């Protein structure tokens, strides 16, 4: 009897030990399985640091990349070049954080069923980009460096975001052999990772600050005699504009007027509003964080405060952040966060769906309405509507001086105020010999392609 009892006790202890072991494993699995599966070295999901499973399509279902077997890009080489900075390359020189961010949803992983078998049930990620617009934008850039982007300021969908220079991931270049400089920064996604001196598009922000902070801003008069002395320094203008209103100063992009306006606002007020508008913030979407912008306005000499309000001095903005800002002007002063990944499905299951509510007001709707009118006036009187048939475009141009002896960057930011084409845009053309006017023909092509994409 004792022997039976002893054996029963040993058996009980063994059962408890096994049960404990199973429990510990189960707990460890439930807690850590996701990390084990999603570990960047996992050969099931990754390939040279980039996601290596599932397929990616554009907003209309056009195939951009198939990773079910090996990484296969679109058939069209222009499409491949215009999207590689979002999809990543085979060697991992360009990472694709927006896809890696949803590795679990694309792999269709869950802790009960594990990773789904691929083939018939490959995860499909649909991005907001339009293949057609991406190609139109890359062709329109015609080998110039920079970035051009368009997003829907009502929904946040990024319809177009092209960065140049770029390359064909099916035949990657040997950048060490490039002596011409055409491939400098080729792995950089300039829309996400770069900051640029804005030039006069920054006057949109300075004007917004004035409309918010100065009750009679619309009654202000400015004097431009071609240049203006501040201390021992001068602010120079592109013309002699005489006695002008804020609206005229904005249309003529008068540096003297904006110097006077910046000094009237003062460093603290100008700095506070620039920050309130979110222009300098890193924009977060789909696991991506854009480069933060920068200004040095506080405690600067008056002439530097003046140049800051004009969009020079130490001003630096990220294209995505500035596009988001002008989108808010179009959207009555409320920011809509941009995003890239709209939906992920595995078989019949939807494992991810974008949901970015618009919830942050950065300026009054009155300020937004006045800016809309000012920016519309710019296109009607300065840039002309001919570039944008069928659209009601509101915009501001800039010519950003980047240093002595260097060609300036052309910049252009704005939006369509047509209710059925709610698109905002931002473009930078580096070393543009045509300055801001070099942006217009490119935008004309891009917005024309966009009209049919939304
Ligand atoms: Zn002037």
């Amino acid at each position: 009897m004792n022997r039976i009892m002893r054996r029963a006790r040993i058996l009980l202890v063994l059962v408890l030990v096994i049960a404990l072991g199973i429990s510990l494993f189960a707990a460890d699995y439930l807690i850590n399985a996701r990390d084990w599966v999603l570990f960047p070295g996992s050969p099931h999901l990754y390939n040279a640091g980039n996601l290596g499973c599932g397929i990616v399509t554009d907003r209309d279902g056009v195939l951009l990349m198939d990773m079910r077997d090996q990484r296969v890009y679109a058939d069209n080489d222009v499409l491949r070049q215009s999207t590689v900075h979002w999809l990543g390359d085979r060697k991992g020189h360009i990472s694709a954080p927006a896809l890696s961010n949803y590795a679990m949803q694309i792999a269709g992983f869950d802790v009960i069923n594990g990773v789904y078998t691929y083939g018939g049930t490959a995860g499909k990620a649909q991005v907001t980009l339009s293949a057609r617009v991406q190609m139109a934008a890359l062709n329109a850039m015609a080998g110039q460096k920079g970035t051009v982007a368009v997003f829907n300021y009502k929904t946040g969908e990024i319809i177009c975001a092209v960065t140049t220079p770029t390359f064909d991931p099916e035949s990657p270049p040997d950048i060490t052999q490039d002596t011409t400089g055409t491939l400098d920064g080729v792995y950089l996604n300039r829309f996400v990772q770069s900051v640029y001196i804005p030039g006069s598009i920054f006057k949109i922000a300075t004007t917004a600050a004035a409309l918010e902070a100065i009750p009679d801003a619309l009654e202000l008069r400015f004097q431009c005699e071609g240049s203006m002395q501040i201390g021992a320094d001068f602010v120079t203008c592109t013309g002699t504009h005489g006695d002008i209103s804020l609206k005229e100063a904005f249309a003529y992009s008068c540096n003297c007027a904006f110097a006077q306006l910046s000094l009237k606002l003062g460093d603290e007020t100008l700095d506070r509003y620039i920050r309130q508008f979110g222009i300098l913030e890193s924009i977060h979407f789909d696991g991506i964080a854009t480069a933060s912008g920068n200004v040095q306005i506080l405690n600067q000499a008056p002439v530097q405060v003046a140049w800051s309000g004009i969009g020079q001095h130490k001003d630096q903005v990220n294209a995505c952040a500035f596009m988001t800002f002008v989108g808010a002007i179009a959207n009555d002063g409320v920011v809509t966060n941009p995003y890239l990944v709209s939906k992920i499905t595995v078989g019949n299951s939807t494992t991810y769906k974008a949901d970015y509510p618009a919830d942050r007001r950065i300026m009054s709707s009155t300020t937004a309405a006045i800016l809309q009118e000012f920016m519309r006036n710019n296109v009607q009187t300065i840039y002309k509507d001919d570039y944008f048939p069928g659209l009601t475009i509101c915009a501001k141009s800039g010519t950003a001086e980047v240093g002595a002896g260097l060609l300036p960057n052309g910049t252009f930011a704005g939006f369509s105020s047509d209710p059925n084409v709610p698109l905002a845009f931002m473009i930078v053309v580096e070393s543009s010999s045509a300055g801001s006017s070099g942006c217009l023909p490119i935008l004309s092509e891009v917005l024309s392609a966009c009209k049919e994409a939304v």
Side-chain angles (χ1 to χ4, degrees):
M1 199 60 189
N2 280 346
R3 187 184 290 173
I4 292 171
M5 283 293 287
R6 203 169 67 235
R7 284 181 179 169
R9 280 196 203 105
I10 291 170
L11 214 57
L12 186 64
V13 169
L14 280 174
V15 166
L16 286 173
V17 167
I18 291 167
L20 183 69
I22 290 173
S23 305
L24 284 173
F25 173 78
D28 198 22
Y29 175 77
L30 287 171
I31 294 165
N32 294 319
R34 186 178 178 278
D35 292 339
W36 297 341
V37 172
L38 301 180
F39 168 62
S42 164
H44 301 293
L45 297 191
Y46 290 94
N47 187 314
N50 275 325
L51 191 65
C53 65
I55 62 177
V56 183
T57 75
D58 87 334
R59 60 188 292 109
D60 302 311
V62 175
L63 183 73
L64 300 180
M65 183 166 65
D66 186 338
M67 298 175 286
R68 281 174 296 181
D69 185 9
Q70 50 184 317
R71 181 173 277 253
V72 178
Y73 294 90
D75 286 340
N76 185 300
D77 68 311
V78 179
L79 183 53
R80 292 197 295 269
Q81 292 179 57
S82 65
T83 52
V84 64
H85 288 89
W86 297 109
L87 303 175
D89 64 330
R90 291 203 179 100
K91 290 191 172 168
H93 292 308
I94 297 175
S95 62
L99 297 179
S100 301
N101 189 52
Y102 301 108
M104 189 169 73
Q105 291 89 339
I106 294 173
F109 175 78
D110 71 53
V111 288
I112 307 300
N113 297 306
V115 178
Y116 293 174
T117 11
Y118 305 134
T121 55
K124 187 170 86 173
Q126 186 169 40
V127 296
T128 56
L129 298 173
S130 160
R132 206 154 38 82
V133 181
Q134 287 292 103
M135 291 190 285
L138 184 63
N139 285 332
M141 287 295 280
Q144 300 176 94
K145 289 181 185 173
T147 182
V148 52
V150 183
F151 93 124
N152 182 318
Y153 56 76
K154 293 283 182 199
T155 65
E157 297 159 279
I158 299 173
I159 311 296
C160 168
V162 159
T163 171
T164 51
T166 185
F167 66 96
D168 184 352
E170 289 290 0
S171 54
D174 180 359
I175 63 165
T176 60
Q177 298 299 311
D178 174 44
T179 53
T180 62
T182 47
L183 293 175
D184 283 356
V186 72
Y187 299 141
L188 199 64
N189 185 334
R190 283 159 156 78
F191 175 70
V192 169
Q193 296 166 292
S194 296
V195 288
Y196 286 102
I197 298 169
S200 292
I201 57 169
F202 201 77
K203 288 171 183 162
I204 303 171
T206 306
T207 305
L211 292 168
E212 292 275 292
I214 303 171
D216 61 349
L218 293 176
E219 311 303 322
L220 293 175
R221 303 298 300 180
F222 305 93
Q223 313 303 323
C224 171
E225 290 162 7
S227 73
M228 179 185 164
Q229 186 163 8
I230 303 174
D233 296 298
F234 286 87
V235 164
T236 49
C237 197
T238 53
T240 304
H241 298 113
D243 176 78
I244 50 176
S245 68
L246 182 58
K247 186 176 182 176
E248 288 165 327
F250 189 73
Y252 305 151
S253 204
C254 176
N255 285 348
C256 293
F258 274 86
Q260 292 158 40
L261 187 62
S262 303
L263 294 178
K264 184 173 175 65
L265 282 164
D267 60 343
E268 276 184 24
T269 305
L270 183 57
D271 184 83
R272 177 158 47 85
Y273 278 104
I274 297 308
R275 291 176 198 285
Q276 176 186 311
F277 297 148
I279 297 165
L280 309 178
E281 283 174 19
S282 168
I283 306 284
H284 293 241
F285 60 94
D286 302 318
I288 290 172
T290 67
S292 301
N294 190 34
V295 293
Q296 279 180 32
I297 301 175
L298 291 177
N299 306 314
Q300 300 289 297
V303 72
Q304 291 165 336
V305 176
W307 278 119
S308 295
I310 291 168
Q312 292 285 158
H313 187 45
K314 304 285 184 185
D315 297 1
Q316 290 186 313
V317 301
N318 166 262
C320 180
F322 208 82
M323 179 189 77
T324 306
F325 165 63
V326 291
I329 295 169
N331 198 34
D332 294 324
V334 176
V335 165
T336 302
N337 204 77
Y339 70 89
L340 185 75
V341 178
S342 54
K343 194 167 80 169
I344 299 167
T345 52
V346 180
N348 293 325
S349 317
T350 298
T351 53
Y352 172 77
K353 198 166 187 337
D355 179 25
Y356 284 93
D359 59 1
R360 193 160 65 97
R361 176 170 290 285
I362 55 166
M363 65 181 74
S364 72
S365 65
T366 309
T367 295
I370 296 168
L371 286 168
Q372 287 171 22
E373 185 201 322
F374 278 21
M375 291 169 77
R376 178 72 193 122
N377 176 59
N378 285 357
V379 177
Q380 285 175 311
T381 61
I382 309 289
Y383 315 127
K384 305 300 178 190
D385 278 320
D386 304 352
Y387 281 106
F388 313 109
L391 289 171
T392 313
I393 299 296
C394 310
K396 177 81 191 81
S397 63
T399 304
E401 301 297 339
V402 291
L406 298 171
L407 284 169
N409 292 343
T411 56
F412 210 84
F415 49 86
S416 148
S417 62
D418 303 284
N420 55 343
V421 192
L423 301 177
F425 54 82
M426 167 76 185
I427 176 171
V428 181
V429 180
E430 296 175 25
S431 309
S432 168
S433 53
S436 57
S437 60
C439 300
L440 274 165
I442 300 171
L443 265 175
S444 175
E445 296 286 331
V446 173
L447 293 177
S448 167
C450 279
K451 247 191 325 185
E452 288 142 41
V454 292

